[in-house]
Structure formats: structure tokens, C-alpha cells
Amino acid sequence: MKPISSRFSIAVHILTLVSSSAQPCTWDFLAGSVYTNPVIIRKILGMLKKAGLVEVRAGTGGASLARPSSEITLLDVYRAVEAAAAEGLFSFHDHPNPACEIGRGIEDALQAELRAAQAALERSLAAATIEGLQGSILDGAV
């Protein structure tokens, strides 16, 4: 199975850092904390902006949250940066053999299980907020 890309963890890192800062965060500041290239930060900030999670000011204006961290769930972040959110987390192999008893029925039988697994993931992500994650980090609970 292809793992969820690092965009998700980077986006959560960015939002948690922006949430903890009293001032808008610059790309270079964010890139220094994430320890990655500012180009990656700009790309992910663009996705987060499109999703309405951050506001980005040109130049050295930096990024700030578009709504309170208590209202930004990890599911919001996942949907903002992962293509799998729209397509579904799991993909199925093309064209199982219809002449085979298992091949004929595997997709229908497995799809219900895969939908349930994705729903469980989404429920868990929906229950967690950037504010809660930030609190866990700052309280040393992790």
C-alpha cells in the first residue's frame, strides 16, 4: 500500500507552528522548523490557503491561521493536501479475472471493508484538532 505522503505531516507541522506563533510565520522560518526547502513550504501553504486554513501575505508578510486552531481538524488538513482524500484511501487492482470465482467477487467483498477502514481513519482525524496537538506538544505529553 502506498503510504500517505509527507505533505500531511508537513502541513500539520506548519499549522501547529503557525498556531503557536504570535506573528505571521515566514516561509524561511517554517522551512527551518520543518527542515525542508522553502519551495515545499510554499506549495503546501498554497494547498492550505486554497482549503481556507491559512492566510498568506506576499513578500515577508508570512502565514497565519484563517480560523482558530480549535476549529481546524486533522481531517481538514488531510483533505487539503492529500489526493487520496478525494479518490479514497485505497485503490483496487484493475480488471480481476471475471472467469475466476474469487476474481469475480473480490472487489465487491473488499470494498465494504476498505470503506469502513477509511471511515474509521476519517473519524479519528476529525476528532483531533491543531489546538489539541499543539497542547500535547507543549505540555510534553508526546
Side-chain angles (χ1 to χ4, degrees):
M1 176 189 315
K2 183 179 174 188
I4 293 173
S5 76
S6 63
R7 284 188 311 265
F8 176 70
S9 62
I10 291 171
V12 171
H13 186 145
I14 289 169
L15 291 168
T16 305
L17 186 57
V18 168
S19 174
S20 67
S21 179
Q23 298 179 351
C25 297
T26 65
W27 294 330
D28 288 334
F29 176 73
L30 293 168
S33 179
V34 175
Y35 210 57
T36 193
N37 191 303
V39 171
I40 293 170
I41 299 299
R42 284 193 291 273
K43 180 177 180 175
I44 293 174
L45 278 173
M47 296 170 149
L48 296 172
K49 180 180 178 183
K50 183 177 179 182
L53 302 178
V54 296
E55 295 173 349
V56 180
R57 289 184 254 330
T60 58
S64 57
L65 296 183
R67 59 187 204 234
S69 61
S70 61
E71 296 177 13
I72 300 174
T73 70
L74 297 186
L75 182 58
D76 295 329
V77 181
Y78 170 73
R79 288 180 174 160
V81 299
E82 290 296 334
E87 304 167 358
L89 184 59
F90 300 98
S91 58
F92 208 83
H93 59 285
D94 293 332
H95 313 295
N97 185 351
C100 171
E101 182 178 6
I102 298 300
R104 198 171 36 251
I106 189 71
E107 185 170 3
D108 289 340
L110 187 54
Q111 286 298 349
E113 296 298 326
L114 298 179
R115 280 192 298 275
Q118 180 157 350
L121 169 69
E122 290 179 0
R123 278 192 304 277
S124 181
L125 293 177
T129 65
I130 295 297
E131 179 182 66
L133 190 62
Q134 178 185 355
S136 293
I137 295 166
L138 297 177
D139 291 344
V142 291

